[in-house]
Amino acid sequence: MKIGIGCDHAGLELKNEILLLLKDLGFECVDFGTDSPQAVDYPDFGEKVSEAVSSGRIERGILICGTGIGMSIVANKFPHVRASLCNELFTAKMSRLHNDANILVLGGRIVGKDLAKEIVRTWISTPFEGERHCLRLKKINFIEDRLKKK
Ligand code: RB5
């Protein structure tokens, strides 16, 4: 599975930790930046990862800003993106089981690196449960289609 990762300055330190973890776990990663601690605008980097997931170029994405809120708002504007802000383990697990989340968002100023790594491990390895949740995801697609026509 190919994983895209992006951050703003507030998520840079955590992004570098998570990149190391993902490589250790054997995943192919695409790093969309930012690469420096200089202040940048989170929509610019959120857009790159979200676009890649939305178009199917990469299967999953991870986005990190200070709280995770800005990146979540950006990512969920993109069709077929189901981004979930998970700063603890239970949400990370449920976002895969019930929501088939394809972008994980983390708050670099909220979670410590050890917890963040556990969240990533859980999120990457938990499958979608399917069944009754498929219809709910279809309903999200219908909403996207309806909004596109406006
Ligand atoms: C940057 O200071 C901060 O606003 C950003 O990282 C993020 O938390 C926005 O939601």
Side-chain angles (χ1 to χ4, degrees):
M1 177 175 21
K2 209 187 225 182
I3 302 173
I5 186 161
C7 67
D8 70 357
H9 52 288
L12 178 63
E13 223 175 288
L14 192 52
K15 184 190 75 171
N16 290 335
E17 294 284 343
I18 288 169
L19 267 172
L20 290 176
L21 169 71
L22 291 173
K23 283 175 187 161
D24 274 358
L25 294 174
F27 289 102
E28 186 188 345
C29 297
V30 186
D31 185 355
F32 288 86
T34 187
D35 303 317
S36 102
Q38 202 182 335
V40 290
D41 300 326
Y42 60 82
D44 297 335
F45 296 88
E47 180 179 14
K48 290 174 203 271
V49 174
S50 305
E51 171 56 38
V53 172
S54 181
S55 66
R57 250 191 318 130
I58 53 175
E59 213 177 322
R60 300 262 198 109
I62 297 178
L63 285 169
I64 312 163
C65 62
T67 56
I69 295 169
M71 287 296 198
S72 304
I73 294 171
V74 171
N76 281 310
K77 301 277 179 211
F78 285 77
H80 315 303
V81 165
R82 294 175 300 278
S84 54
L85 172 54
C86 305
N87 285 325
E88 37 72 34
L89 287 166
F90 182 71
T91 325
K93 187 173 171 191
M94 296 310 288
S95 78
R96 289 289 314 134
L97 287 174
H98 285 195
N99 311 107
D100 197 17
N102 48 14
I103 294 191
L104 167 68
V105 188
L106 294 163
R109 290 175 176 157
I110 311 269
V111 281
K113 74 172 187 321
D114 290 339
L115 175 57
K117 284 181 183 173
E118 271 312 298
I119 291 171
V120 170
R121 279 179 195 274
T122 299
W123 189 77
I124 287 294
S125 61
T126 304
F128 176 47
E129 231 170 35
E131 297 176 11
R132 68 191 186 280
H133 304 293
C134 292
L135 175 63
R136 294 164 187 169
L137 296 192
K138 260 192 204 150
K139 289 192 174 189
I140 296 175
N141 291 338
F142 291 149
I143 294 170
E144 280 179 358
D145 290 345
R146 226 170 40 229
L147 293 174
K148 243 188 270 166
K149 284 176 197 143
K150 284 198 172 165

